[in-house]
Amino acid sequence: MEIFNYSFIILLLPMLMFVTLGLCGHKMSHRTAGMLGTSGLFIITVLAYIVAAQYFTMPRIDGVFATVTPYNFTWLQFTESLIIKLGILLDPISVMMLVVITTVSLMVHIYSLGYMHGETGFQRYYAFLSLFTFSMLGLVVATNIFQMYIFWELVGASSYLLIGFYYTKQSAVAASKKAFIVTRFADLGFLIGILLLSFFTKTFDFETLTNGSVSLIDTAAGKSFLGISAASWAMALIFMGGAGKSAMFPLHIWLPDAMEGPTPVSALIHAATMVVAGVYLVARLFPVYVIQTPDVLMFITVIGAITALYAAIVACVQTDIKRVLAFSTISQIAFMIVALGVCTSMELDHEGHGGLGYMASMFHLFTHAMFKALLFLGAGAIIHAVHSNEMSAMGGLRKYMPITHITFLIACLAIAGIPPFSGFFSKDEILAAAFDKSAFWGIWMSLVAGLTAFYMFRLYFNIFWGKEAHHEHTPHEAPKTMTIPLLFLAVVTCFAGFIPFGNFVTPTGLSYDIHLNWTVAGTSIAIAIIGIALATWLYMKPNDKPTRMADSMRSLHTWAYHRFYFDEIYLFVTHKIIFRYICAPIAWFDRHIIDGTMNLMATATQWASYHIRGLQSGRLQSYAVVFLFGALLVAFIVLCCM
Amino acid sequence: MEIPMIYYVVVSTIMFFAGVYGFVTRKNLLAILISLELMLNAVDINFVVFNRYLFPGQLEGFFFTLFAVAIAAAETAIAIAIIINIYRNIKNIKVDNLDKMKY
């Protein structure tokens, strides 16, 4: 549609920023580079808001916001049917994601002006931020699954670059490699899934896949592998890619380590935007999942529920504040995944609530992006003030950092699910969707919600209350460039819950009025308050209750503190089993058979040339002799033949 | 009595192979040059003889020989100039010693 013709600028501008800052950044001053990146992003944000305003004010067709494709051009054409296109697709969820990404990214850009002040590689940092924004925006507006895969890898690469931003630090380098390898491993599954899916349906296009014109079940009928149908394999493998990016169990191990990157990066990439790519992917292909492979959706629910509980337990005992937030992110994303998983149909109206989870998931994605970015940026301000990530170095900071304190508290209340903050509304919808599916999932997720409230307030009290740590110099409030994004996000967190989200994003596109189910809401509020109360009792005043409690549950505490030894299991599997019994023989084969063949050829050639090099003596006379005898021989042969 | 053509050809063949033999065995640059001249003159004899016996009344062979002799003279002048220069540089004209440019 013509009115969205300007939407390509949203993609083009961050790309241009990346090229400009990447190539000429080192010639600019820090200030110029930072302002250039931030103002570029400001323009994109404004454009994204205009797109959203125009899109959601368009007249509905049959009560549904039409899917708009302003651009879709052929990029690669291999055969008649194998065509890869690039384009821009606007529908309610992609427009919502545009708003989320640009808002959080702009906040992080502004915040970084203060946080990264004076760092070496400041211009490089902004170049990478632009690259990331470009790839993430390209991912959400992808018109086909292959374009999504391309940008999927690009966000992976920019995440790698930003985690390893302090590339002289050994742990940062290791963390960036870990993140890249784990997500890359998951992307292998994603790629196989894409190939399976498009092999059967003969299309990459999201619209064709989701509007019901091709049926994966029909085209892949009768084919199965290991007792599971090919259709389920395809969708499960695609989810594997999403699970890798979204840090779902058991591919979650990279996200806590990714906190080695600068804190604003954690806020942008590892809390608000990139890690929800997996949720977005499932939401994008939601009609395929819910109609054609409900068994995979069940599998997704189980994975999500395990992840949510696991991450919440681990978050309760971590002492590094960024680690707590990382596990909290994993847990909250698992909430979104579960919400998608518990859907039973596309319906969402008076008769059926089967698609409530979809709406809830997208709503939670939206609110979570805001308050989790706020939490991370607040944590950044705290780390900036006390120069440590450890809780033991904090305590009693509320006197020194009032703005950070208030905004952090708002975010904690939101994530704990206390009304009227945004997290309450979205989490309540998720719990309602889970109870709709079955009481088991509802109770499970309510329990996790209670744990969420507990660990967030444990974090809050340990930072701002409790025993005051000895400070080298008095902590001070962060500069304006850092507090303004905090305040902005806090305001959004306060009011985002009142957005009539159901009017914009529903599985069928029909408008739906969110109404609170007070049984569910009441229970979740009660559980949240219990969690908060417990945390208050344990952590508000300095006392020895937490230690005694940890002692009484020694083994559980140790296991949770070491994240249930998952990293050790991975290390054992990779080092002891894969490296020793698979890689070592392969390496031997490579070194001795493949290299050996090549070496043999080289040695033989060398030996032969050593022995015949005497022929090229440079003596003209000996050449003449050879020539003479050659000529005589030829003459002799010619004569014989005649 | 006319001398048969084969006599001339025998002489020129002997001359040519004497030249070849000298070219490949001699170490002295002047001797090599002389051998080269022998080969050249053997060819000249062939030109003249074949013209005389096979195409009487035509002159191409004779003229070709005249050109070859003139060019051989010029070439010899240059070759000797080179040899003199070599002698000035390395104080002998042994072909084995001419390996300065090789390594």
Side-chain angles (χ1 to χ4, degrees):
Chain A
M1 208 177 290
E2 304 217 325
I3 55 165
F4 292 115
N5 272 352
Y6 58 85
S7 56
F8 78 97
I9 302 174
I10 296 181
L11 281 187
L12 197 65
L13 201 58
M15 185 67 209
L16 276 177
M17 276 308 157
F18 166 62
V19 174
T20 318
L21 289 171
L23 293 179
C24 323
H26 58 281
K27 293 207 182 76
M28 300 175 188
S29 70
H30 284 195
R31 203 181 151 73
T32 325
M35 287 316 286
L36 190 65
T38 312
S39 51
L41 211 90
F42 182 74
I43 296 169
I44 301 161
T45 312
V46 170
L47 284 175
Y49 285 0
I50 295 173
V51 168
Q54 276 192 344
Y55 185 81
F56 286 121
T57 50
M58 272 196 327
R60 289 170 178 246
I61 301 161
D62 300 329
V64 176
F65 288 115
T67 303
V68 184
T69 322
Y71 294 93
N72 201 16
F73 62 90
T74 305
W75 180 51
L76 287 176
Q77 177 156 21
F78 294 110
T79 62
E80 282 297 308
S81 54
L82 183 58
I83 302 170
I84 296 173
K85 292 185 169 183
L86 288 184
I88 294 177
L89 174 109
L90 298 176
D91 71 347
I93 54 170
S94 72
V95 172
M96 183 218 45
M97 286 299 283
L98 282 184
V99 172
V100 170
I101 293 162
T102 50
T103 310
V104 176
S105 189
L106 178 63
M107 290 306 126
V108 166
H109 271 76
I110 298 173
Y111 182 90
S112 301
L113 290 175
Y115 187 84
M116 300 297 285
H117 186 78
E119 293 274 356
T120 42
F122 188 81
Q123 301 94 328
R124 182 164 58 91
Y125 174 81
Y126 270 91
F128 288 163
L129 277 190
S130 299
L131 175 66
F132 171 76
T133 313
F134 161 69
S135 357
M136 194 66 209
L137 292 170
L139 192 157
V140 296
V141 297
T143 54
N144 59 66
I145 198 162
F146 213 92
Q147 184 189 350
M148 193 180 219
Y149 184 69
I150 294 167
F151 284 98
W152 190 271
E153 293 300 330
L154 267 175
V155 285
S158 38
S159 155
Y160 166 80
L161 291 170
L162 284 164
I163 296 170
F165 179 73
Y166 299 118
Y167 58 82
T168 48
K169 212 164 94 184
Q170 195 57 44
S171 57
V173 174
S176 62
K177 274 194 285 191
K178 188 172 176 182
F180 194 75
I181 292 167
V182 173
T183 51
R184 197 66 202 75
F185 171 71
D187 293 346
L188 177 68
F190 187 21
L191 182 61
I192 298 171
I194 292 174
L195 296 179
L196 274 177
L197 177 68
S198 45
F199 175 75
F200 289 124
T201 58
K202 308 282 177 237
T203 181
F204 287 124
D205 210 43
F206 281 130
E207 269 210 89
T208 326
L209 283 170
T210 53
N211 66 9
S213 56
V214 288
S215 166
L216 181 60
I217 290 290
D218 295 346
T219 46
K223 297 189 178 65
S224 64
F225 179 64
L226 298 178
I228 298 165
S229 74
S232 298
W233 270 112
M235 298 318 285
L237 282 168
I238 288 179
F239 172 68
M240 179 180 163
K245 270 278 182 291
S246 288
M248 286 296 108
F249 178 90
L251 296 170
H252 63 275
I253 50 161
W254 66 272
L255 188 57
D257 287 24
M259 297 300 136
E260 290 293 343
T263 312
V265 168
S266 310
L268 175 62
I269 301 183
H270 307 116
T273 55
M274 187 189 83
V275 287
V276 296
V279 183
Y280 182 76
L281 173 66
V282 178
R284 188 39 91 213
L285 291 170
F286 183 69
V288 186
Y289 277 109
V290 77
I291 296 169
Q292 314 205 9
T293 55
D295 49 335
V296 178
L297 222 46
M298 185 65 212
F299 168 69
I300 291 175
T301 315
V302 174
I303 292 282
I306 294 174
T307 314
L309 184 64
Y310 161 80
I313 292 173
V314 175
C316 289
V317 295
Q318 296 296 310
T319 55
D320 179 327
I321 59 169
K322 283 183 77 181
R323 289 274 151 99
V324 176
L325 291 176
F327 278 105
S328 139
T329 306
I330 297 176
S331 179
Q332 294 300 308
I333 292 165
F335 259 94
M336 303 170 206
I337 291 280
V338 169
L340 286 170
V342 293
C343 291
T344 49
S345 68
M346 296 279 283
E347 285 175 359
L348 185 56
D349 46 34
H350 312 297
E351 290 105 57
H353 279 106
L356 178 64
Y358 176 88
M359 193 277 290
S361 171
M362 289 296 108
F363 194 13
H364 198 58
L365 192 161
F366 179 78
T367 57
H368 172 258
M370 299 301 164
F371 63 66
K372 190 46 73 62
L374 173 55
L375 282 170
F376 265 105
L377 295 184
I382 294 155
I383 293 166
H384 196 70
V386 301
H387 304 290
S388 167
N389 283 9
E390 288 297 319
M391 280 181 187
S392 54
M394 297 159 192
L397 286 178
R398 69 185 184 285
K399 283 172 281 183
Y400 307 109
M401 313 178 73
I403 299 176
T404 313
H405 170 227
I406 292 297
T407 51
F408 204 86
L409 177 62
I410 290 172
C412 282
L413 287 170
I415 193 172
I418 300 293
F421 300 101
S422 59
F424 163 72
F425 295 93
S426 50
K427 194 175 273 181
D428 180 62
E429 292 302 313
I430 291 180
L431 293 179
F435 272 111
D436 266 1
K437 170 86 173 183
S438 75
F440 174 72
W441 293 127
I443 292 166
W444 180 303
M445 294 320 285
S446 303
L447 181 70
V448 177
L451 275 175
T452 309
F454 172 73
Y455 68 69
M456 283 321 294
F457 275 85
R458 168 176 175 270
L459 178 69
Y460 165 75
F461 285 120
N462 267 321
I463 295 172
F464 293 104
W465 299 71
K467 188 164 70 76
E468 195 163 327
H470 170 73
H471 301 296
E472 298 275 312
H473 54 87
T474 320
H476 55 90
E477 185 58 273
K480 279 226 165 50
T481 44
M482 288 163 73
T483 48
I484 288 170
L486 290 181
L487 289 170
F488 177 85
L489 287 170
V491 171
V492 174
T493 305
C494 287
F495 296 107
F498 298 103
I499 295 173
F501 208 78
N503 292 351
F504 303 127
V505 179
T506 52
T508 46
L510 296 169
S511 183
Y512 169 77
D513 289 322
I514 297 175
H515 46 83
L516 290 176
N517 178 342
W518 281 107
T519 357
V520 177
T523 331
S524 75
I525 296 172
I527 291 172
I529 288 176
I530 293 170
I532 295 171
L534 189 64
T536 317
W537 180 63
L538 284 173
Y539 298 108
M540 189 159 169
K541 294 270 156 53
N543 58 51
D544 62 345
K545 284 189 288 254
T547 347
R548 270 192 283 133
M549 216 164 132
D551 281 333
S552 65
M553 295 189 287
R554 171 74 16 221
S555 60
L556 180 66
H557 185 271
T558 320
W559 276 70
Y561 186 76
H562 290 107
R563 309 173 212 164
F564 293 89
Y565 297 101
F566 268 103
D567 287 82
E568 282 74 11
I569 293 171
Y570 270 95
L571 276 182
F572 177 78
V573 170
T574 49
H575 280 194
K576 294 278 156 61
I577 297 174
I578 296 181
F579 286 1
R580 187 176 296 173
Y581 296 107
I582 298 174
C583 298
I586 292 175
W588 184 90
F589 182 82
D590 185 57
R591 218 165 277 150
H592 291 92
I593 309 294
I594 297 184
D595 287 6
T597 316
M598 290 298 145
N599 286 343
L600 186 70
M601 281 162 71
T603 319
T605 314
Q606 206 179 16
W607 179 86
S609 58
Y610 180 82
H611 285 274
I612 60 173
R613 72 178 178 179
L615 288 178
Q616 192 178 11
S617 60
R619 285 167 207 274
L620 205 58
Q621 286 172 313
S622 56
Y623 293 171
V625 174
V626 174
F627 175 72
L628 176 70
F629 282 103
L632 284 177
L633 188 70
V634 171
F636 181 72
I637 292 169
V638 169
L639 281 177
C640 284
C641 292
M642 279 160 69
Chain B
M1 193 192 88
E2 206 173 25
I3 307 166
M5 191 177 80
I6 192 79
Y7 284 38
Y8 290 101
V9 179
V10 167
V11 168
S12 78
T13 311
I14 291 170
M15 263 173 78
F16 184 81
F17 280 98
V20 169
Y21 177 76
F23 185 82
V24 299
T25 53
R26 293 289 147 168
K27 297 295 172 200
N28 189 311
L29 275 175
L30 278 174
I32 292 172
L33 186 64
I34 291 165
S35 311
L36 208 68
E37 288 300 318
L38 267 178
M39 286 191 273
L40 207 64
N41 285 321
V43 175
D44 285 352
I45 290 171
N46 276 4
F47 269 122
V48 174
V49 169
F50 290 144
N51 193 345
R52 169 81 173 70
Y53 283 85
L54 301 182
F55 306 100
Q58 289 178 354
L59 295 170
E60 280 91 343
F62 299 134
F63 277 101
F64 211 92
T65 307
L66 281 177
F67 279 120
V69 167
I71 287 167
E75 173 221 296
T76 310
I78 292 170
I80 287 182
I82 292 172
I83 291 168
I84 288 169
N85 266 310
I86 288 170
Y87 181 77
R88 280 184 184 159
N89 273 302
I90 61 171
K91 297 295 168 216
N92 64 53
I93 47 171
K94 283 272 162 56
V95 75
D96 289 346
N97 298 340
L98 286 178
D99 52 8
K100 237 185 190 157
M101 305 279 271
K102 192 171 159 187
Y103 305 111

